């Protein structure tokens, strides 16, 4: 059997691979979005931390592919005392699981979508605002 990819040596994308894809999506953003995105921390973990899931009322860690942790620009004040950098979290295993289940999208496109979705929260957009311009599920 002649396979198009040599799967005998293939390994799943690791955290560094997912981060590289997200950074490429960041680099492709138009200004001024790119500058704001570059100021955020980016963390890639296999799954969301238990306290994140608890705060969101999510039991299954495969249900959360990304999270924005910070104060949206529309709510920031000079009086705010930063507790740490605003952060976009990407959850590798949940992203890979969605990618496998969908089977209709490139991994880079999915990672970019999750990254940009979380970045939109940084700009103060609600999930409804994002859905109005990005009908991802269709």
């Amino acid at each position: 059997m002649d396979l198009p990819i040599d799967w005998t040596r293939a390994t799943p994308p690791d955290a560094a691979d997912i981060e590289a894809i997200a950074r490429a999506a960041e680099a492709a953003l138009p200004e001024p979005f790119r500058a704001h995105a570059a100021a955020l921390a980016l963390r890639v973990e296999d799954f969301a931390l238990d306290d994140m899931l608890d705060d969101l009322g999510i039991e299954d860690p495969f249900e959360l592919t990304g999270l924005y942790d910070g104060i949206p620009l529309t709510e920031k004040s000079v009086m705010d005392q930063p507790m740490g950098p605003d952060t976009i979290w990407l959850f590798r295993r949940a992203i890979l699981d969605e990618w496998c289940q969908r089977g209709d999208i490139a991994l880079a496109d999915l990672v970019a979508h999750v990254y940009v979705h979380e970045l939109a929260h940084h700009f103060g957009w609600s999930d409804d605002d994002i859905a109005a311009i990005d009908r991802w599920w269709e």
Side-chain angles (χ1 to χ4, degrees):
M1 176 186 339
D2 189 26
L3 298 174
I5 297 175
D6 180 5
W7 290 105
T8 61
R9 299 196 195 303
T11 59
D14 62 14
D17 295 325
I18 300 297
E19 180 175 351
I21 295 168
R23 294 290 183 198
E26 175 186 297
L29 292 169
E31 283 298 342
F33 299 108
R34 188 177 332 121
H36 284 285
L40 299 172
L42 176 60
R43 300 267 318 258
V44 179
E45 298 291 338
D46 274 352
F47 291 108
L49 304 172
D50 288 339
D51 61 331
M52 292 174 175
L53 296 170
D54 291 345
D55 288 347
L56 295 169
I58 296 173
E59 291 184 22
D60 183 356
F62 282 100
E63 291 180 15
L64 188 62
T65 56
L67 181 69
Y68 169 68
D69 183 18
I71 301 172
L73 291 176
T74 55
E75 299 174 21
K76 283 195 186 284
S77 165
V78 294
M79 301 303 289
D80 289 332
Q81 291 294 327
M83 302 301 287
D86 289 359
T87 304
I88 291 178
W89 294 81
L90 300 178
F91 304 114
R92 184 185 76 91
R93 293 282 309 278
I95 289 170
L96 293 176
D97 190 63
E98 180 176 335
W99 175 57
C100 289
Q101 285 182 353
R102 290 180 64 97
D104 65 350
I105 187 163
L107 179 59
D109 291 340
L110 179 58
V111 172
H113 167 76
V114 173
Y115 175 78
V116 170
H117 180 98
E118 300 312 327
L119 180 61
H121 288 305
H122 173 67
F123 292 113
W125 299 2
S126 69
D127 281 330
D128 289 338
D129 295 333
I130 297 165
I133 61 168
D134 182 12
R135 307 289 294 181
W136 179 254
W137 59 90
E138 293 179 347

